Amino acid sequence: MTDARKLHDESIIIDGLQTCQWGRPIFEEMRAGGLTAVNVSSLLWENFREGIAYVSEWKRYLRENSDLIRPVRTVDDIHAAKKEGRTGIIIGWQNTSPLEDKLDYVEIFKDLGVGIMQLTYNTQNYSGAGYLEEVDSGLTGFGKEVLAEMNRVGVLCDLSHVGDKTTADVIAHSKAPVCISHILPRALKDVKRNKPDELFVACAEKGGIIGVSLFAPGLAAGNDATVEDYLDAMAYVIDLVGEDHVGIGTDFSLDRPRPGPWLLWANRDKGTARKLTEFGSVKINKPKGIERMTEMPNLTARMLARGWSETLVRKLLGQNWLRVLDAAWRPAT
């Protein structure tokens, strides 16, 4: 029988998205959980100036915590993080709002280290519709140009909070693989935040990846979910799209009070307008058995306990993310 802890320690482990209360305690927890790289994607509604501030904030975190974390711009950086015993930080966004209406800003932010951009967050922006917009009219003309520019300079496009029609349009138009970094299947729980099978299949057919989320409102068992319910959702997506197109996207928002200023702000359209859901204030548990990053080794152990092969487990933990990042970060011609 494979030693679960040994496999966990040897594997490259990539978390497709977190929005935690950043600081040294979280970075220490990343190391304790064995995370090799994390998409740190808590930018939601910010404008250009605030987007620059987010980059600056991460420059400071990286400088002051260089014993624990390191910047990631390439897949080689992720391999280096593994060798160094540090966690690689991929600066990501959950909205393209910092681009405002300036196409040139895509390349500027790529140069500053932003490697993943979710096209929209929950509602409409210049590029398309989020999943909570009243009418999802799809990818806009400007959005097609933004996507083409992301492909050109090597930014991975994320579609997690994006509306179904806009998601389908992006997958159809993108020259590079895309990701749905933190999501669950609507087939197992029919809520709007989850996505339908056909979008998972389309994403995979273009070489992309589906990061399975721990978000309890999207799991069939809700707040009573366990790590086994999470793996049931992962197994469903694997059966649907194949083992090469599935990974982890925890959506950890650890140490952010609920309700609290950040989550209440996150839950309003553009941060200040209508309340979009109750998620900013209601109790939401992470599945029992994987409630903190320190329990990530338990996830590996439970995968193996299901009879999943060592090869499959390594793919799910990080190898699939490595492949997609490597493809998406190569500028398209």
Short mmCIF file of all heavy atoms in Angstrom, two decimals, residues 289-318:
data_model
loop_
_atom_site.label_atom_id
_atom_site.label_comp_id
_atom_site.label_asym_id
_atom_site.label_seq_id
_atom_site.Cartn_x
_atom_site.Cartn_y
_atom_site.Cartn_z
N GLY A 289 -12.82 17.23 7.87
CA GLY A 289 -11.68 16.44 7.41
C GLY A 289 -10.75 17.21 6.50
O GLY A 289 -9.64 16.76 6.22
N ILE A 290 -11.21 18.40 6.05
CA ILE A 290 -10.35 19.29 5.26
C ILE A 290 -10.79 20.73 5.48
O ILE A 290 -11.08 21.48 4.54
CB ILE A 290 -10.31 18.89 3.76
CG1 ILE A 290 -9.27 19.71 3.03
CG2 ILE A 290 -11.68 18.94 3.12
CD1 ILE A 290 -8.93 19.27 1.66
N GLU A 291 -10.84 21.11 6.74
CA GLU A 291 -11.32 22.44 7.11
C GLU A 291 -10.23 23.49 7.12
O GLU A 291 -10.52 24.69 7.10
CB GLU A 291 -11.99 22.37 8.49
CG GLU A 291 -13.25 21.50 8.48
CD GLU A 291 -13.77 21.22 9.88
OE1 GLU A 291 -13.24 20.31 10.54
OE2 GLU A 291 -14.72 21.91 10.30
N ARG A 292 -8.98 23.06 7.18
CA ARG A 292 -7.83 23.97 7.15
C ARG A 292 -6.76 23.37 6.25
O ARG A 292 -6.77 22.19 5.93
CB ARG A 292 -7.23 24.15 8.56
CG ARG A 292 -8.14 24.64 9.63
CD ARG A 292 -8.40 26.12 9.65
NE ARG A 292 -7.25 26.99 9.55
CZ ARG A 292 -7.29 28.31 9.83
NH1 ARG A 292 -8.43 28.86 10.23
NH2 ARG A 292 -6.23 29.06 9.68
N MET A 293 -5.80 24.21 5.87
CA MET A 293 -4.71 23.71 5.03
C MET A 293 -3.88 22.65 5.73
O MET A 293 -3.27 21.80 5.08
CB MET A 293 -3.81 24.87 4.60
CG MET A 293 -4.38 25.69 3.47
SD MET A 293 -3.24 27.00 3.00
CE MET A 293 -3.81 28.35 4.02
N THR A 294 -3.84 22.68 7.05
CA THR A 294 -3.09 21.67 7.80
C THR A 294 -3.64 20.27 7.57
O THR A 294 -2.95 19.28 7.84
CB THR A 294 -3.12 22.00 9.30
OG1 THR A 294 -4.46 22.27 9.69
CG2 THR A 294 -2.25 23.21 9.62
N GLU A 295 -4.88 20.18 7.07
CA GLU A 295 -5.49 18.87 6.82
C GLU A 295 -5.33 18.40 5.38
O GLU A 295 -5.89 17.37 5.00
CB GLU A 295 -6.97 18.91 7.20
CG GLU A 295 -7.21 19.07 8.70
CD GLU A 295 -8.68 19.00 9.06
OE1 GLU A 295 -9.44 19.90 8.65
OE2 GLU A 295 -9.07 18.04 9.76
N MET A 296 -4.56 19.12 4.58
CA MET A 296 -4.35 18.69 3.20
C MET A 296 -3.77 17.27 3.09
O MET A 296 -4.17 16.51 2.20
CB MET A 296 -3.44 19.69 2.46
CG MET A 296 -4.06 21.05 2.22
SD MET A 296 -5.51 21.05 1.13
CE MET A 296 -4.73 20.80 -0.47
N PRO A 297 -2.86 16.85 3.99
CA PRO A 297 -2.40 15.46 3.91
C PRO A 297 -3.54 14.45 4.05
O PRO A 297 -3.46 13.35 3.48
CB PRO A 297 -1.40 15.35 5.06
CG PRO A 297 -0.89 16.74 5.26
CD PRO A 297 -2.09 17.62 5.00
N ASN A 298 -4.58 14.81 4.79
CA ASN A 298 -5.73 13.92 4.94
C ASN A 298 -6.46 13.73 3.60
O ASN A 298 -6.99 12.66 3.32
CB ASN A 298 -6.69 14.48 5.99
CG ASN A 298 -7.85 13.53 6.29
OD1 ASN A 298 -7.64 12.34 6.45
ND2 ASN A 298 -9.05 14.07 6.37
N LEU A 299 -6.47 14.79 2.79
CA LEU A 299 -7.10 14.68 1.47
C LEU A 299 -6.38 13.63 0.63
O LEU A 299 -7.00 12.78 0.00
CB LEU A 299 -7.07 16.04 0.77
CG LEU A 299 -7.69 16.10 -0.62
CD1 LEU A 299 -9.17 15.76 -0.58
CD2 LEU A 299 -7.47 17.49 -1.24
N THR A 300 -5.05 13.69 0.64
CA THR A 300 -4.27 12.69 -0.10
C THR A 300 -4.56 11.29 0.42
O THR A 300 -4.75 10.35 -0.37
CB THR A 300 -2.76 13.01 0.05
OG1 THR A 300 -2.52 14.34 -0.44
CG2 THR A 300 -1.92 12.02 -0.75
N ALA A 301 -4.61 11.14 1.73
CA ALA A 301 -4.87 9.83 2.33
C ALA A 301 -6.24 9.29 1.94
O ALA A 301 -6.40 8.10 1.63
CB ALA A 301 -4.76 9.92 3.85
N ARG A 302 -7.25 10.17 1.92
CA ARG A 302 -8.60 9.72 1.57
C ARG A 302 -8.71 9.39 0.09
O ARG A 302 -9.48 8.51 -0.31
CB ARG A 302 -9.64 10.79 1.96
CG ARG A 302 -9.72 11.09 3.45
CD ARG A 302 -9.68 9.86 4.32
NE ARG A 302 -10.74 8.90 3.97
CZ ARG A 302 -10.75 7.63 4.35
NH1 ARG A 302 -9.75 7.14 5.07
NH2 ARG A 302 -11.76 6.84 4.01
N MET A 303 -7.95 10.08 -0.76
CA MET A 303 -7.91 9.71 -2.18
C MET A 303 -7.38 8.28 -2.34
O MET A 303 -7.96 7.46 -3.06
CB MET A 303 -7.01 10.67 -2.96
CG MET A 303 -7.59 12.05 -3.19
SD MET A 303 -6.38 13.10 -4.06
CE MET A 303 -7.35 14.58 -4.34
N LEU A 304 -6.28 8.00 -1.68
CA LEU A 304 -5.70 6.66 -1.76
C LEU A 304 -6.63 5.60 -1.17
O LEU A 304 -6.72 4.48 -1.68
CB LEU A 304 -4.35 6.64 -1.03
CG LEU A 304 -3.21 7.40 -1.73
CD1 LEU A 304 -2.01 7.50 -0.80
CD2 LEU A 304 -2.82 6.73 -3.04
N ALA A 305 -7.34 5.97 -0.09
CA ALA A 305 -8.25 5.02 0.55
C ALA A 305 -9.39 4.61 -0.38
O ALA A 305 -9.99 3.55 -0.21
CB ALA A 305 -8.82 5.63 1.83
N ARG A 306 -9.68 5.44 -1.38
CA ARG A 306 -10.71 5.11 -2.36
C ARG A 306 -10.19 4.15 -3.44
O ARG A 306 -10.94 3.78 -4.35
CB ARG A 306 -11.22 6.38 -3.04
CG ARG A 306 -12.07 7.24 -2.12
CD ARG A 306 -12.70 8.41 -2.85
NE ARG A 306 -13.73 8.99 -1.98
CZ ARG A 306 -14.94 9.33 -2.35
NH1 ARG A 306 -15.31 9.18 -3.61
NH2 ARG A 306 -15.80 9.85 -1.49
N GLY A 307 -8.93 3.85 -3.37
CA GLY A 307 -8.35 2.99 -4.39
C GLY A 307 -7.82 3.75 -5.59
O GLY A 307 -7.47 3.15 -6.61
N TRP A 308 -7.77 5.07 -5.49
CA TRP A 308 -7.22 5.87 -6.58
C TRP A 308 -5.72 5.63 -6.67
O TRP A 308 -5.02 5.59 -5.66
CB TRP A 308 -7.53 7.35 -6.37
CG TRP A 308 -9.00 7.67 -6.47
CD1 TRP A 308 -10.02 6.79 -6.69
CD2 TRP A 308 -9.60 8.96 -6.32
NE1 TRP A 308 -11.24 7.45 -6.71
CE2 TRP A 308 -11.01 8.80 -6.48
CE3 TRP A 308 -9.12 10.24 -6.08
CZ2 TRP A 308 -11.91 9.85 -6.41
CZ3 TRP A 308 -10.02 11.30 -6.00
CH2 TRP A 308 -11.40 11.11 -6.17
N SER A 309 -5.23 5.49 -7.87
CA SER A 309 -3.82 5.17 -8.07
C SER A 309 -2.93 6.33 -7.67
O SER A 309 -3.35 7.49 -7.65
CB SER A 309 -3.56 4.81 -9.53
OG SER A 309 -3.66 5.96 -10.35
N GLU A 310 -1.67 6.02 -7.41
CA GLU A 310 -0.70 7.06 -7.09
C GLU A 310 -0.57 8.05 -8.25
O GLU A 310 -0.47 9.26 -8.05
CB GLU A 310 0.65 6.42 -6.79
CG GLU A 310 1.74 7.40 -6.43
CD GLU A 310 3.05 6.72 -6.09
OE1 GLU A 310 3.02 5.59 -5.55
OE2 GLU A 310 4.11 7.33 -6.37
N THR A 311 -0.61 7.53 -9.47
CA THR A 311 -0.53 8.40 -10.65
C THR A 311 -1.70 9.37 -10.69
O THR A 311 -1.52 10.58 -10.93
CB THR A 311 -0.52 7.55 -11.93
OG1 THR A 311 0.64 6.72 -11.92
CG2 THR A 311 -0.49 8.43 -13.17
N LEU A 312 -2.91 8.88 -10.46
CA LEU A 312 -4.09 9.74 -10.46
C LEU A 312 -3.99 10.78 -9.35
O LEU A 312 -4.26 11.97 -9.58
CB LEU A 312 -5.36 8.91 -10.29
CG LEU A 312 -6.66 9.69 -10.07
CD1 LEU A 312 -6.92 10.64 -11.23
CD2 LEU A 312 -7.83 8.74 -9.88
N VAL A 313 -3.59 10.36 -8.16
CA VAL A 313 -3.52 11.29 -7.03
C VAL A 313 -2.52 12.41 -7.32
O VAL A 313 -2.79 13.59 -7.05
CB VAL A 313 -3.17 10.54 -5.74
CG1 VAL A 313 -2.90 11.51 -4.59
CG2 VAL A 313 -4.30 9.58 -5.36
N ARG A 314 -1.37 12.08 -7.89
CA ARG A 314 -0.39 13.11 -8.22
C ARG A 314 -0.96 14.11 -9.24
O ARG A 314 -0.70 15.31 -9.15
CB ARG A 314 0.88 12.48 -8.78
CG ARG A 314 1.73 11.76 -7.74
CD ARG A 314 3.02 11.23 -8.38
NE ARG A 314 3.80 10.42 -7.47
CZ ARG A 314 4.71 10.89 -6.62
NH1 ARG A 314 4.95 12.19 -6.58
NH2 ARG A 314 5.40 10.08 -5.85
N LYS A 315 -1.71 13.60 -10.20
CA LYS A 315 -2.33 14.49 -11.19
C LYS A 315 -3.29 15.46 -10.51
O LYS A 315 -3.28 16.67 -10.77
CB LYS A 315 -3.09 13.68 -12.24
CG LYS A 315 -2.23 12.95 -13.24
CD LYS A 315 -3.10 12.20 -14.24
CE LYS A 315 -2.29 11.47 -15.28
NZ LYS A 315 -3.16 10.78 -16.27
N LEU A 316 -4.14 14.94 -9.65
CA LEU A 316 -5.16 15.75 -8.99
C LEU A 316 -4.54 16.76 -8.04
O LEU A 316 -5.02 17.90 -7.91
CB LEU A 316 -6.14 14.85 -8.22
CG LEU A 316 -6.93 13.85 -9.05
CD1 LEU A 316 -7.71 12.91 -8.15
CD2 LEU A 316 -7.87 14.56 -10.02
N LEU A 317 -3.47 16.37 -7.36
CA LEU A 317 -2.83 17.26 -6.40
C LEU A 317 -2.13 18.43 -7.08
O LEU A 317 -2.07 19.53 -6.50
CB LEU A 317 -1.82 16.49 -5.55
CG LEU A 317 -2.39 15.48 -4.55
CD1 LEU A 317 -1.25 14.74 -3.86
CD2 LEU A 317 -3.29 16.17 -3.52
N GLY A 318 -1.59 18.23 -8.29
CA GLY A 318 -0.87 19.35 -8.87
C GLY A 318 -0.40 19.20 -10.29
O GLY A 318 -0.19 20.19 -10.99
#
